[in-house]
Amino acid sequence: MDVKEFDKNVAIDQDEALRPKMVTVEIAGKKHEVPEGITVIKALWYTGQEVIRGAGCLGGYCGACATYYRTKDDPKVRTCLACSTAVEDGMSFTMVPPFPARKATYQLSELKDPKQDLFNLYPETPLCRNCNACTEACPQGIDVRDGVWRAVFGDFKAVSEMFMDCVMCGLCVPVCIADIAPNLVAVYASRAQGAFFTEKPKRLHERIEEIRQGKYDQEWDKILTMNEQQIKDVCAAIK
Amino acid sequence: MKLEALQGLVHKTRDARRQQTIPKFPPNERDTLIKKYHPDSRENAYRPIKFGPNAGELTVRELAALLEGDSPVPADLDLTPTYSVDVLVIGGGGAGSAAALHAHAHGAKVLLATKLRLGDSNTVMAQGGIQIAITSEDSPVQHFLDTLKGGHMKNDHTLLKTMVEEGPSIAKWLLDLGVLFDRDPDGNLHVKKGGGSSKPRLLTCSDYTGLEIMRVLKDEVLNQQIQLLEFSAAVELLSDGDGTCTGAILQDLDNKRFVVVAAKAVILATGGIGRLHIQGFPTSNHYGATGDALPMAYRIGAKLLQIDTFQYHPTGAVHPEQLVGALVTEGIRSEGGHLVNANGERFVNELDTRDVVSSSIIRECEEGRGVRTTTGRLGVWLDTPLLDIEHGPGTLEKHFPAMVRQFKRYGLDITKDPVLIYPTLHYQNGGVQIDVNGESGVRHLFVAGEASGGLHGRNRLMGNSLLDLMVFGKRAGTTAAERAKAMKHGKLTLQHLARFRAEARKHSGALAVRSPMLFPDYVRKE
């Protein structure tokens, strides 16, 4: 089967597919026509807007492109990451500017009682009023409210696991009526979990010691004094 | 035919494929395959650089134009510094943050400038893990040999030995900062096997390794109250007129003003070049990955290395259209995911090195065994449901939550259906030539992370970039800080730029574009 024929067999009605269907969206209050299904951030570019504040990894990991949006006729305003959400007809959206949340600064290694220190660093944490707005605002689907309470009750392990997906977009912060920054509380709790409440990995420390004591020096001497062909042969023999 | 229908073949052939073992290519077949199908081998994508430290050497056209491009800085700019610091770190990803933290810890007054926000980088997206030889079956020497083999024997031995030996202490540093690596039941660090590695040695935080590390480093930079300038892009370096780097010129992206920084040492940690879209490839890289260090270092006289070789990650998404170029982690193949062509056949050992796997995918597509998407792109299948079948239901959800989530956003369930992939521009194998402390050929100019070159040879192994940037970020930061203690600020001039421009004017076509590029131009103009 030649390439052309093959393509004809598997191609899916390409002419149709390549002609984009246009939809109407409202960006920060202004209507625009954009191709259906492109991402929110591409819709911004498509309508001629330069995005610097609000574009980061473009892969859903960095949280730079936090966005509020609403779909046609739905009163509910939702949140998303602009790089990872497709536009649809009738959608309205606006990127969220950075919110001036307070980050506590601390010397991790100098903390004496990290679970108690949480209340000095972020004293607002136990004032959560259970409105659940943070959970609803999270584009990653994290149960943020529950995470805040787990931090308060000292279950830092659970917090670290729940917030492993957190991209620090900060959408949970402006909605909080108790002025908690749940994402920052979670980073603190996770780091404390790692630094204070997780077993020291024995094998790693042994390896550091072995290297320090020169366990591999002989092997290095052998490898590094080989000529090009010899070392090539050694590498070729690796399974 | 719809993609859903074409997927049927992947499900149908799964059981038969599970019985198969596909051997890795013997060295000569592997070289032939790469020569024929790897994008690095496409001669018409390359041209010689006209002048400068790498005059006459080949690189891709996109990069050559930037290296020969002009600085946005006017020759008569007032060079009175706004900031005077010991160490200026340019770039706020993994390498920049590590460099800043270590320089700060060694007593230096540090300024970290980055053109986006602190943490916006490729590091934050790293899914595969960080390679560190810690198990008893493994050793730093084995890590060295695997990397050398993967790099086609072109790696700098000294840099490479340094990296693999310092790996374990880097893991300890990260653990002390609170990074939560996956563990074995006995409390030891869990290791996974990566493509091109003979032993399992990838430390991971599920498939969020980069995110977890970057979240912690960013938090720590803020905790240490290191002076930070976000949305401030470096556009030119400063020299004393005698070949020594003495600072840099930033551009504040909010008001476009130039900001002069006097520094005893400058560390370039600006990452790679994916957003140049070399040869038209989509990319897995972040928005700012425009290789800014390369033209800046080049203009001040630093030599670049192996800038004719790039890594095309085998498994970039090609469907849905919104995810084009986005990475599907190699971890899926590490855990047994098959690559399957349009005929339902496997065609490569999935754990071969990235250049080999990418070349073989391109071969399948060019020889008519690719699958065409609704938007006209070609790709092959990655059989993701196989993982749940092989290792039990829930495996994908547990080991690759980021991946599952990414596709779910567009209504695709990778636990049920395979995904379509094609190689995506992923990594700049070469970069600015450095010594073992990260110093370039230009005195007091350091380079760390992807912007530097030599360590990875002509193909980087999975998990080595996170280690690279930690080790050389640390070494550059530490060396720069120590050196700054015993010296004064140098004279601030643009003499290197004047010389560069004079030389460029002798060559037609030079100075045609502004560089560094800073951002790709995606804005539609009408």
Short mmCIF file of all heavy atoms in Angstrom, two decimals, chain B residues 73-88 90 109 111 113 227 229 232-239 245-252 255-264 266 489-494 496-497:
data_model
loop_
_atom_site.label_atom_id
_atom_site.label_comp_id
_atom_site.label_asym_id
_atom_site.label_seq_id
_atom_site.Cartn_x
_atom_site.Cartn_y
_atom_site.Cartn_z
N VAL B 73 19.71 46.56 22.68
CA VAL B 73 20.30 47.63 23.50
C VAL B 73 21.02 48.64 22.61
O VAL B 73 21.86 48.26 21.81
CB VAL B 73 21.29 47.01 24.51
CG1 VAL B 73 22.06 48.09 25.25
CG2 VAL B 73 20.54 46.13 25.49
N PRO B 74 20.68 49.94 22.76
CA PRO B 74 21.39 50.96 21.98
C PRO B 74 22.83 51.13 22.47
O PRO B 74 23.10 50.97 23.67
CB PRO B 74 20.57 52.23 22.22
CG PRO B 74 19.83 51.99 23.49
CD PRO B 74 19.63 50.51 23.61
N ALA B 75 23.72 51.45 21.55
CA ALA B 75 25.15 51.53 21.89
C ALA B 75 25.43 52.59 22.95
O ALA B 75 26.40 52.48 23.70
CB ALA B 75 25.95 51.82 20.61
N ASP B 76 24.58 53.62 23.01
CA ASP B 76 24.87 54.73 23.92
C ASP B 76 24.05 54.67 25.21
O ASP B 76 23.87 55.68 25.89
CB ASP B 76 24.61 56.06 23.20
CG ASP B 76 23.16 56.16 22.73
OD1 ASP B 76 22.42 55.13 22.83
OD2 ASP B 76 22.75 57.24 22.27
N LEU B 77 23.56 53.49 25.56
CA LEU B 77 22.75 53.37 26.78
C LEU B 77 23.55 53.81 28.02
O LEU B 77 24.72 53.47 28.16
CB LEU B 77 22.29 51.92 26.96
CG LEU B 77 21.33 51.67 28.13
CD1 LEU B 77 19.94 52.18 27.79
CD2 LEU B 77 21.26 50.19 28.48
N ASP B 78 22.89 54.57 28.88
CA ASP B 78 23.52 54.98 30.14
C ASP B 78 23.71 53.74 31.02
O ASP B 78 22.74 53.07 31.38
CB ASP B 78 22.59 55.99 30.84
CG ASP B 78 23.12 56.41 32.22
OD1 ASP B 78 24.23 55.95 32.59
OD2 ASP B 78 22.43 57.17 32.90
N LEU B 79 24.95 53.44 31.36
CA LEU B 79 25.24 52.19 32.08
C LEU B 79 25.38 52.38 33.59
O LEU B 79 26.02 51.58 34.26
CB LEU B 79 26.49 51.53 31.49
CG LEU B 79 26.36 51.10 30.02
CD1 LEU B 79 27.66 50.46 29.53
CD2 LEU B 79 25.20 50.14 29.81
N THR B 80 24.79 53.43 34.10
CA THR B 80 24.77 53.59 35.56
C THR B 80 23.88 52.50 36.15
O THR B 80 22.71 52.37 35.78
CB THR B 80 24.17 54.97 35.95
OG1 THR B 80 24.80 55.96 35.16
CG2 THR B 80 24.36 55.24 37.43
N PRO B 81 24.45 51.67 37.04
CA PRO B 81 23.65 50.52 37.49
C PRO B 81 22.52 50.89 38.44
O PRO B 81 22.67 51.75 39.31
CB PRO B 81 24.68 49.64 38.20
CG PRO B 81 25.80 50.54 38.56
CD PRO B 81 25.81 51.66 37.57
N THR B 82 21.39 50.22 38.25
CA THR B 82 20.27 50.34 39.19
C THR B 82 20.49 49.39 40.36
O THR B 82 20.09 49.66 41.48
CB THR B 82 18.96 49.95 38.48
OG1 THR B 82 18.86 50.72 37.28
CG2 THR B 82 17.74 50.23 39.35
N TYR B 83 21.11 48.26 40.07
CA TYR B 83 21.40 47.27 41.10
C TYR B 83 22.88 46.92 41.05
O TYR B 83 23.46 46.82 39.96
CB TYR B 83 20.61 45.97 40.88
CG TYR B 83 19.12 46.15 40.94
CD1 TYR B 83 18.39 46.39 39.77
CD2 TYR B 83 18.43 46.07 42.14
CE1 TYR B 83 17.01 46.56 39.82
CE2 TYR B 83 17.05 46.23 42.21
CZ TYR B 83 16.35 46.47 41.04
OH TYR B 83 14.99 46.63 41.08
N SER B 84 23.47 46.76 42.24
CA SER B 84 24.84 46.27 42.33
C SER B 84 24.84 45.07 43.26
O SER B 84 24.50 45.20 44.44
CB SER B 84 25.76 47.35 42.92
OG SER B 84 26.34 48.10 41.89
N VAL B 85 25.17 43.92 42.72
CA VAL B 85 25.09 42.70 43.53
C VAL B 85 26.35 41.86 43.35
O VAL B 85 27.16 42.12 42.46
CB VAL B 85 23.86 41.84 43.10
CG1 VAL B 85 22.57 42.59 43.37
CG2 VAL B 85 23.94 41.44 41.63
N ASP B 86 26.49 40.85 44.21
CA ASP B 86 27.60 39.91 44.03
C ASP B 86 27.30 38.98 42.86
O ASP B 86 28.11 38.82 41.96
CB ASP B 86 27.79 39.07 45.30
CG ASP B 86 28.28 39.91 46.47
OD1 ASP B 86 28.94 40.93 46.23
OD2 ASP B 86 27.99 39.54 47.63
N VAL B 87 26.13 38.37 42.93
CA VAL B 87 25.79 37.36 41.93
C VAL B 87 24.43 37.68 41.31
O VAL B 87 23.43 37.81 42.03
CB VAL B 87 25.74 35.94 42.56
CG1 VAL B 87 25.36 34.91 41.52
CG2 VAL B 87 27.09 35.59 43.20
N LEU B 88 24.41 37.81 40.01
CA LEU B 88 23.15 37.97 39.29
C LEU B 88 22.79 36.64 38.65
O LEU B 88 23.57 36.09 37.87
CB LEU B 88 23.29 39.04 38.19
CG LEU B 88 22.13 39.11 37.19
CD1 LEU B 88 20.83 39.53 37.86
CD2 LEU B 88 22.46 40.06 36.04
N ILE B 90 20.21 34.76 36.19
CA ILE B 90 19.22 35.06 35.16
C ILE B 90 18.45 33.78 34.84
O ILE B 90 19.01 32.82 34.31
CB ILE B 90 19.91 35.63 33.90
CG1 ILE B 90 20.59 36.96 34.26
CG2 ILE B 90 18.89 35.82 32.78
CD1 ILE B 90 21.51 37.49 33.18
N LYS B 109 25.38 38.39 48.02
CA LYS B 109 24.18 39.18 47.77
C LYS B 109 23.70 38.83 46.37
O LYS B 109 24.39 39.08 45.38
CB LYS B 109 24.53 40.67 47.87
CG LYS B 109 23.34 41.58 47.72
CD LYS B 109 23.76 43.04 47.75
CE LYS B 109 22.56 43.93 47.47
NZ LYS B 109 22.96 45.29 47.13
N LEU B 111 20.83 38.59 43.23
CA LEU B 111 19.62 39.09 42.56
C LEU B 111 19.20 38.04 41.54
O LEU B 111 20.02 37.60 40.72
CB LEU B 111 19.91 40.42 41.85
CG LEU B 111 18.77 40.98 40.97
CD1 LEU B 111 17.55 41.34 41.79
CD2 LEU B 111 19.25 42.21 40.20
N ALA B 113 16.79 37.41 38.45
CA ALA B 113 15.91 38.06 37.48
C ALA B 113 15.35 37.00 36.54
O ALA B 113 16.07 36.11 36.10
CB ALA B 113 16.69 39.09 36.67
N GLN B 227 16.58 38.60 46.64
CA GLN B 227 15.97 39.67 45.85
C GLN B 227 15.54 39.14 44.48
O GLN B 227 16.30 38.47 43.79
CB GLN B 227 16.97 40.81 45.68
CG GLN B 227 16.31 42.05 45.11
CD GLN B 227 17.24 43.25 45.12
OE1 GLN B 227 18.46 43.11 45.26
NE2 GLN B 227 16.66 44.43 44.97
N LEU B 229 13.44 39.77 40.73
CA LEU B 229 12.83 40.64 39.73
C LEU B 229 12.12 39.76 38.72
O LEU B 229 12.75 39.11 37.89
CB LEU B 229 13.90 41.47 39.00
CG LEU B 229 14.58 42.62 39.74
CD1 LEU B 229 15.61 43.27 38.83
CD2 LEU B 229 13.55 43.66 40.19
N SER B 232 11.28 40.45 34.18
CA SER B 232 12.46 41.23 33.83
C SER B 232 13.39 40.33 33.02
O SER B 232 14.00 39.41 33.57
CB SER B 232 13.18 41.71 35.09
OG SER B 232 12.32 42.55 35.82
N ALA B 233 13.45 40.56 31.74
CA ALA B 233 14.19 39.68 30.84
C ALA B 233 15.60 40.21 30.61
O ALA B 233 15.77 41.41 30.34
CB ALA B 233 13.47 39.58 29.51
N ALA B 234 16.59 39.34 30.73
CA ALA B 234 17.95 39.76 30.37
C ALA B 234 18.03 39.89 28.85
O ALA B 234 17.53 39.02 28.13
CB ALA B 234 18.95 38.73 30.87
N VAL B 235 18.61 40.98 28.37
CA VAL B 235 18.71 41.16 26.92
C VAL B 235 20.15 41.34 26.45
O VAL B 235 20.44 41.22 25.26
CB VAL B 235 17.85 42.35 26.43
CG1 VAL B 235 16.37 42.01 26.54
CG2 VAL B 235 18.16 43.63 27.19
N GLU B 236 21.06 41.64 27.37
CA GLU B 236 22.46 41.82 26.98
C GLU B 236 23.33 41.67 28.22
O GLU B 236 22.90 42.00 29.33
CB GLU B 236 22.67 43.21 26.36
CG GLU B 236 24.04 43.45 25.74
CD GLU B 236 24.33 42.47 24.59
OE1 GLU B 236 23.52 42.36 23.65
OE2 GLU B 236 25.39 41.82 24.65
N LEU B 237 24.55 41.17 28.00
CA LEU B 237 25.50 41.11 29.10
C LEU B 237 26.38 42.35 29.07
O LEU B 237 26.41 43.08 28.08
CB LEU B 237 26.35 39.84 29.00
CG LEU B 237 25.54 38.55 29.17
CD1 LEU B 237 26.37 37.33 28.76
CD2 LEU B 237 25.05 38.40 30.61
N LEU B 238 27.09 42.59 30.16
CA LEU B 238 28.03 43.71 30.22
C LEU B 238 29.43 43.15 30.40
O LEU B 238 29.61 42.10 31.03
CB LEU B 238 27.67 44.63 31.39
CG LEU B 238 26.36 45.41 31.20
CD1 LEU B 238 25.87 45.98 32.53
CD2 LEU B 238 26.56 46.52 30.17
N SER B 239 30.41 43.86 29.86
CA SER B 239 31.78 43.38 30.00
C SER B 239 32.68 44.54 30.43
O SER B 239 32.29 45.70 30.32
CB SER B 239 32.27 42.81 28.67
OG SER B 239 32.39 43.85 27.72
N CYS B 245 32.98 39.24 32.13
CA CYS B 245 31.58 39.64 32.31
C CYS B 245 31.42 40.39 33.63
O CYS B 245 31.91 39.94 34.68
CB CYS B 245 30.69 38.40 32.28
SG CYS B 245 28.94 38.79 32.48
N THR B 246 30.74 41.52 33.59
CA THR B 246 30.62 42.36 34.79
C THR B 246 29.18 42.70 35.15
O THR B 246 28.93 43.49 36.05
CB THR B 246 31.40 43.68 34.59
OG1 THR B 246 30.95 44.29 33.35
CG2 THR B 246 32.90 43.45 34.51
N GLY B 247 28.24 42.13 34.44
CA GLY B 247 26.84 42.42 34.75
C GLY B 247 25.95 42.13 33.57
O GLY B 247 26.35 41.42 32.64
N ALA B 248 24.75 42.68 33.62
CA ALA B 248 23.81 42.44 32.52
C ALA B 248 22.80 43.58 32.44
O ALA B 248 22.63 44.34 33.39
CB ALA B 248 23.08 41.12 32.74
N ILE B 249 22.17 43.65 31.28
CA ILE B 249 21.08 44.61 31.10
C ILE B 249 19.78 43.82 31.01
O ILE B 249 19.66 42.89 30.21
CB ILE B 249 21.29 45.44 29.82
CG1 ILE B 249 22.60 46.22 29.94
CG2 ILE B 249 20.11 46.39 29.60
CD1 ILE B 249 23.03 46.88 28.66
N LEU B 250 18.85 44.20 31.86
CA LEU B 250 17.54 43.56 31.84
C LEU B 250 16.56 44.50 31.17
O LEU B 250 16.80 45.70 31.08
CB LEU B 250 17.05 43.28 33.26
CG LEU B 250 18.04 42.68 34.25
CD1 LEU B 250 17.40 42.60 35.64
CD2 LEU B 250 18.46 41.28 33.80
N GLN B 251 15.46 43.95 30.72
CA GLN B 251 14.39 44.80 30.26
C GLN B 251 13.14 44.49 31.09
O GLN B 251 12.70 43.34 31.16
CB GLN B 251 14.10 44.57 28.77
CG GLN B 251 13.14 45.61 28.22
CD GLN B 251 13.08 45.59 26.70
OE1 GLN B 251 13.32 44.55 26.08
NE2 GLN B 251 12.76 46.72 26.10
N ASP B 252 12.63 45.52 31.75
CA ASP B 252 11.41 45.36 32.53
C ASP B 252 10.26 45.22 31.54
O ASP B 252 9.98 46.14 30.77
CB ASP B 252 11.24 46.60 33.42
CG ASP B 252 10.02 46.49 34.32
OD1 ASP B 252 9.01 45.88 33.90
OD2 ASP B 252 10.07 47.02 35.45
N ASN B 255 7.26 47.96 31.63
CA ASN B 255 7.38 49.33 31.11
C ASN B 255 8.44 49.44 30.00
O ASN B 255 8.71 50.54 29.52
CB ASN B 255 7.69 50.31 32.24
CG ASN B 255 8.94 49.92 33.01
OD1 ASN B 255 9.82 49.24 32.48
ND2 ASN B 255 9.04 50.33 34.26
N LYS B 256 9.04 48.30 29.64
CA LYS B 256 10.02 48.20 28.55
C LYS B 256 11.34 48.92 28.85
O LYS B 256 12.18 49.06 27.97
CB LYS B 256 9.45 48.71 27.21
CG LYS B 256 8.11 48.11 26.81
CD LYS B 256 8.22 46.65 26.44
CE LYS B 256 6.85 46.09 26.05
NZ LYS B 256 6.75 44.66 26.22
N ARG B 257 11.51 49.41 30.07
CA ARG B 257 12.75 50.13 30.37
C ARG B 257 13.92 49.17 30.56
O ARG B 257 13.75 48.07 31.08
CB ARG B 257 12.59 50.94 31.66
CG ARG B 257 11.77 52.18 31.47
CD ARG B 257 11.68 52.96 32.77
NE ARG B 257 10.57 53.89 32.68
CZ ARG B 257 9.75 54.20 33.67
NH1 ARG B 257 9.93 53.65 34.86
NH2 ARG B 257 8.78 55.06 33.49
N PHE B 258 15.12 49.64 30.20
CA PHE B 258 16.32 48.86 30.46
C PHE B 258 16.77 49.08 31.90
O PHE B 258 16.67 50.19 32.43
CB PHE B 258 17.44 49.27 29.51
CG PHE B 258 17.16 48.90 28.08
CD1 PHE B 258 17.06 49.87 27.09
CD2 PHE B 258 16.99 47.57 27.72
CE1 PHE B 258 16.79 49.54 25.78
CE2 PHE B 258 16.71 47.22 26.40
CZ PHE B 258 16.62 48.20 25.43
N VAL B 259 17.24 48.01 32.52
CA VAL B 259 17.69 48.05 33.90
C VAL B 259 19.12 47.51 33.93
O VAL B 259 19.36 46.38 33.50
CB VAL B 259 16.79 47.16 34.80
CG1 VAL B 259 17.29 47.17 36.24
CG2 VAL B 259 15.33 47.61 34.71
N VAL B 260 20.06 48.32 34.39
CA VAL B 260 21.46 47.90 34.38
C VAL B 260 21.81 47.27 35.73
O VAL B 260 21.53 47.84 36.78
CB VAL B 260 22.37 49.11 34.10
CG1 VAL B 260 23.85 48.70 34.18
CG2 VAL B 260 22.05 49.70 32.73
N VAL B 261 22.39 46.09 35.68
CA VAL B 261 22.80 45.39 36.90
C VAL B 261 24.30 45.16 36.87
O VAL B 261 24.82 44.53 35.94
CB VAL B 261 22.09 44.02 37.03
CG1 VAL B 261 22.49 43.34 38.34
CG2 VAL B 261 20.58 44.18 36.95
N ALA B 262 24.99 45.68 37.87
CA ALA B 262 26.41 45.38 38.03
C ALA B 262 26.52 44.14 38.90
O ALA B 262 25.88 44.06 39.95
CB ALA B 262 27.12 46.55 38.68
N ALA B 263 27.29 43.15 38.45
CA ALA B 263 27.43 41.92 39.22
C ALA B 263 28.86 41.41 39.12
O ALA B 263 29.48 41.52 38.06
CB ALA B 263 26.46 40.86 38.70
N LYS B 264 29.35 40.87 40.22
CA LYS B 264 30.70 40.30 40.18
C LYS B 264 30.71 39.00 39.38
O LYS B 264 31.71 38.63 38.79
CB LYS B 264 31.20 40.07 41.60
CG LYS B 264 31.39 41.39 42.37
CD LYS B 264 31.76 41.12 43.82
CE LYS B 264 31.83 42.44 44.57
NZ LYS B 264 31.96 42.21 46.03
N VAL B 266 27.85 36.55 36.86
CA VAL B 266 26.52 36.37 36.28
C VAL B 266 26.32 34.89 36.00
O VAL B 266 27.21 34.22 35.47
CB VAL B 266 26.37 37.17 34.97
CG1 VAL B 266 25.02 36.88 34.30
CG2 VAL B 266 26.51 38.67 35.23
N HIS B 489 33.57 45.07 41.94
CA HIS B 489 32.84 45.13 40.68
C HIS B 489 33.75 45.61 39.56
O HIS B 489 34.60 46.47 39.77
CB HIS B 489 31.65 46.08 40.79
CG HIS B 489 30.51 45.48 41.54
ND1 HIS B 489 30.20 45.80 42.84
CD2 HIS B 489 29.59 44.55 41.17
CE1 HIS B 489 29.15 45.10 43.23
NE2 HIS B 489 28.76 44.32 42.25
N GLY B 490 33.55 45.06 38.38
CA GLY B 490 34.34 45.50 37.23
C GLY B 490 33.70 46.69 36.53
O GLY B 490 32.59 47.11 36.87
N LYS B 491 34.42 47.18 35.55
CA LYS B 491 33.92 48.30 34.75
C LYS B 491 32.71 47.81 33.92
O LYS B 491 32.69 46.68 33.47
CB LYS B 491 35.05 48.73 33.81
CG LYS B 491 35.05 50.20 33.47
CD LYS B 491 36.41 50.61 32.92
CE LYS B 491 36.76 49.79 31.70
NZ LYS B 491 37.88 50.20 30.92
N LEU B 492 31.73 48.68 33.70
CA LEU B 492 30.57 48.29 32.90
C LEU B 492 30.66 48.92 31.51
O LEU B 492 30.58 50.14 31.38
CB LEU B 492 29.27 48.74 33.58
CG LEU B 492 29.01 48.21 35.00
CD1 LEU B 492 27.69 48.75 35.54
CD2 LEU B 492 29.00 46.69 35.03
N THR B 493 30.85 48.08 30.50
CA THR B 493 30.90 48.61 29.13
C THR B 493 30.11 47.71 28.19
O THR B 493 29.76 46.58 28.52
CB THR B 493 32.34 48.71 28.58
OG1 THR B 493 32.70 47.43 28.01
CG2 THR B 493 33.35 49.11 29.64
N LEU B 494 29.89 48.24 27.01
CA LEU B 494 29.27 47.46 25.93
C LEU B 494 30.27 47.24 24.79
O LEU B 494 29.87 47.07 23.64
CB LEU B 494 28.02 48.18 25.41
CG LEU B 494 26.78 48.11 26.32
CD1 LEU B 494 25.69 49.05 25.83
CD2 LEU B 494 26.24 46.67 26.39
N HIS B 496 32.07 44.73 24.00
CA HIS B 496 31.90 43.45 23.28
C HIS B 496 30.80 43.56 22.24
O HIS B 496 30.88 42.99 21.17
CB HIS B 496 31.60 42.33 24.27
CG HIS B 496 30.29 42.49 24.97
ND1 HIS B 496 30.13 43.35 26.04
CD2 HIS B 496 29.06 41.96 24.74
CE1 HIS B 496 28.86 43.32 26.44
NE2 HIS B 496 28.19 42.48 25.66
N LEU B 497 29.76 44.32 22.58
CA LEU B 497 28.63 44.47 21.67
C LEU B 497 29.05 45.31 20.45
O LEU B 497 28.67 45.00 19.31
CB LEU B 497 27.44 45.11 22.39
CG LEU B 497 26.17 45.30 21.56
CD1 LEU B 497 25.64 43.96 21.04
CD2 LEU B 497 25.07 45.99 22.40
#
